[in-house]
Every structure is written in C-alpha cells, then in structure tokens.
Amino acid sequence: MLIYTIKRLGLAALIIVVAMTLLLVMVHMVPGDPARTMLGPRATPEMQEALRIRMGLDKPLITQIGMFFMNLLRGDLGMDVFENRPVATIVFEQLPYTLELIAAAIIWPVVLGTILGVYSASHRNSLIDRLTGVLSIAVVAAPAFVVSLFALLIFAVQLQWLPAIGAGDPDSFADRLRYLVLPGFSIGLSWVGYIARMVRASMLEVLGEPHIRTARAFGLSEWRILYGYALKLGILPIITMLGVGMGFLLSAAVFTEMVFARPGIGKLVIDSITSRNYPVVMGAVLVSTILFVLSTAIADFANAALDPRVRKAL
C-alpha cells in the first residue's frame, strides 16, 4: 500500500507539472501584447516594458516556465499586477465559494441517485424502475447552463421563491444556503441521472455474485443484503466517477457562477483571462488542477478501503 501511495502521489505531481506547462505555453501563444492589453492603449512604451520585466515576459519561455515552478516550490504564486496583492490570497478568497457550490451540487444527487438506483435494482422492471430510467436520461441530456437559465427565470424571477444573484451574507449560514439552492440544483440535476443509472447497473451485477446468493441462502434479510453487503461494492463506480467528475463540476461551476453572478474560481478565471492577468489565471488554474488531482486520488484510496480485492491487488 505504501508503494502504491508513493506512485499515486508521484503521478499526481506529474499531472500537475504537465498541465501547468501546457497552460503556460498556450497562454503565451495568445496573440497580442499582454502588457499593452493590461495597461491600455494610452500606456507609454516605457511603462509597457517595465511591466514586461516585472512579469518576467522579457525572458525566454523555457526560463519563464522554470521560474514559475521554482516560485511554486516556495509557495509563491506571484503578484496580481492590478491590485499588487499576492495571487494566493486572491485565489483562496474565492475558493470557498466554489467549494461550497460543488458540495451543494453533488451531495443531494449522490443521496437521491443512490436511493433511486438501489430501489430500481431491487425492483427491476417495476413502474418506479421504468420511470427512473426515463427521467434519468431526460435530466442527463439537460446541460447545466440551460438548467441554470430556466431555474433563474422560473424560481427567482417569476415565482420569486429564491434569490437570483449573489452569494448571500457571509456571516449568515442560512442566507448563504438560500443562495446555493438554485446554483446547486442547476449543476446537480444531471448528476442524479448519471448516479441512478450507474448504481442500478452496478447493483444488478453485484446482486448476481455468489456471496450475495450465499447470504440469501443463509436467510439474511433483503435490507441487510442490499445495504450491508451489495451497496458497498455497488457504490464503487460512483466513487470513481465523482473523483473524475471534479473537472466537470469545476467547468459547470464556471457557467453557473456567471449566470448567478456568484464569486468563485470560475468567475475569477474568466475575469482574469479577459484582462490578460496572467498571474491570477495561472494561480486559479493551478488550484483547480490540484483539486481535480486530489479528488481522483481520494477516489482511488476510497475504492481500496471499501473493496478488499482492490487492497489485495495493491
């Protein structure tokens, strides 16, 4: 297990290095002078050159990449050229808003989708099973940004049940929760369908295995068989999907934060790209990449903890 952990962490570090290197290359391939874009057309050539030197843009690309990783090892993500503040401070001010949005978007689909998937597997071809199948496919086909727009128009504008934009009072948990309902619903709706169908398929496979038939032969209750034995293995694909799905959640959060005018990493990245604020773009994408890599690693370790066969394979 120790060797696997070391290899897994090494792979995670490699993914981060490759992703950030590719991003640095792509950022510098964008046409136009970033210094002139950031300072505006009235900036003098001397001001533009001073900004290039300050940002290290006067050095070769390979040198800039090396400097970025050397600074990263010291925990330095650079300085925001507009506000003259550490990029790490700016990013971590916005990170909690995105994390709470992701949590609100995934907790309720996991609970609801798992319940529907287990019930559909244990009551195969029933009316609820067929309805769940139809509804799952329907919600999977609905993109998050489309659901966001309709949810905003129906529940915030027409019915006025929930707030439309913003993140609520930072000092009030209940108020922030109210502002999370619509964004969390918009992102999580399609995940209910994914999870319900995957749990159903996985549970049907697990329920046909020999140890489940043996449990039934010993007279164990169906409830204990479903939730005490089968679900531990049936939920493994969901854990893996959630780990990999962090990237999709982050991308969906970008559109949702824009629609509902919420602060967060997604809105920060869009605003920084528009203003060509490279240090903030790099810092925000770096944190997002680390979140994605960590989520996949945690999913792998959770699979090993739940399934003894995975532990033996390691």
Side-chain angles (χ1 to χ4, degrees):
M1 187 68 180
L2 178 60
I3 296 176
Y4 172 79
T5 303
I6 295 173
K7 289 182 178 180
R8 190 65 184 79
L9 294 177
L11 178 61
L14 179 61
I15 292 173
I16 293 173
V17 170
V18 172
M20 298 312 298
T21 301
L22 290 176
L23 180 63
L24 277 165
V25 173
M26 289 187 292
V27 163
H28 286 81
M29 290 177 63
V30 176
D33 185 358
R36 183 175 182 179
T37 303
M38 287 185 283
L39 293 176
R42 295 185 178 182
T44 63
E46 292 77 13
M47 295 171 62
Q48 295 177 17
E49 184 62 24
L51 182 59
R52 290 192 196 96
I53 296 173
R54 178 183 171 188
M55 296 180 61
L57 298 176
D58 58 323
K59 297 179 175 59
L61 178 58
I62 188 66
T63 304
Q64 295 180 41
I65 294 174
M67 291 173 56
F68 174 81
F69 286 110
M70 288 297 295
N71 293 332
L72 181 60
L73 291 175
R74 295 195 297 266
D76 180 12
L77 299 183
M79 298 291 292
D80 181 2
V81 295
F82 294 117
E83 300 181 14
N84 198 28
R85 298 171 59 204
V87 171
T89 302
I90 297 173
V91 172
F92 285 107
E93 284 177 353
Q94 303 299 316
L95 183 60
Y97 294 101
T98 299
L99 291 180
E100 68 184 16
L101 175 58
I102 291 175
I106 203 60
I107 291 176
W108 74 271
V110 168
V111 175
L112 181 58
T114 301
I115 293 173
L116 291 175
V118 172
Y119 186 88
S120 297
S122 59
H123 298 76
R124 189 175 180 182
N125 296 325
S126 65
L127 178 61
I128 299 297
D129 181 26
R130 296 179 186 277
L131 287 176
T132 301
V134 173
L135 293 176
S136 297
I137 296 173
V139 297
V140 165
F145 66 91
V146 174
V147 178
S148 299
L149 292 173
F150 277 100
L152 181 65
L153 291 174
I154 295 172
F155 297 106
V157 177
Q158 185 171 359
L159 299 177
Q160 297 184 358
W161 289 353
L162 294 165
I165 60 176
D169 184 1
D171 299 324
S172 174
F173 175 77
D175 193 50
R176 293 181 71 167
L177 195 61
R178 287 181 64 248
Y179 279 81
L180 278 171
V181 172
L182 283 182
F185 169 78
S186 303
I187 299 176
L189 183 61
S190 62
W191 283 84
V192 176
Y194 281 119
I195 293 172
R197 301 314 293 168
M198 289 194 69
V199 169
R200 180 186 184 276
S202 181
M203 287 290 291
L204 287 175
E205 182 179 352
V206 172
L207 289 174
E209 292 188 358
H211 72 280
I212 298 296
R213 293 197 297 267
T214 303
R216 286 200 176 102
F218 275 93
L220 296 180
S221 66
E222 194 67 20
W223 178 272
R224 185 174 179 183
I225 290 172
L226 284 175
Y227 295 97
Y229 296 97
L231 187 57
K232 288 183 179 179
L233 298 178
I235 205 172
L236 291 179
I238 305 305
I239 296 174
T240 303
M241 183 184 71
L242 291 178
V244 177
M246 177 60 74
F248 296 99
L249 288 171
L250 288 170
S251 62
V254 172
F255 294 104
T256 307
E257 287 171 357
M258 298 300 294
V259 171
F260 293 96
R262 285 182 56 86
I265 294 292
K267 188 173 185 301
L268 179 65
V269 170
I270 296 297
D271 293 342
S272 301
I273 290 174
T274 304
S275 61
R276 301 286 287 274
N277 195 342
Y278 288 160
V280 177
V281 173
M282 297 299 298
V285 173
L286 173 64
V287 172
S288 301
T289 305
I290 292 174
L291 285 176
F292 171 71
V293 172
L294 285 179
S295 66
T296 56
I298 291 172
D300 290 342
F301 291 133
N303 282 334
L306 289 173
D307 191 350
R309 296 171 297 182
V310 176
R311 292 198 297 268
K312 291 179 180 179
L314 296 179

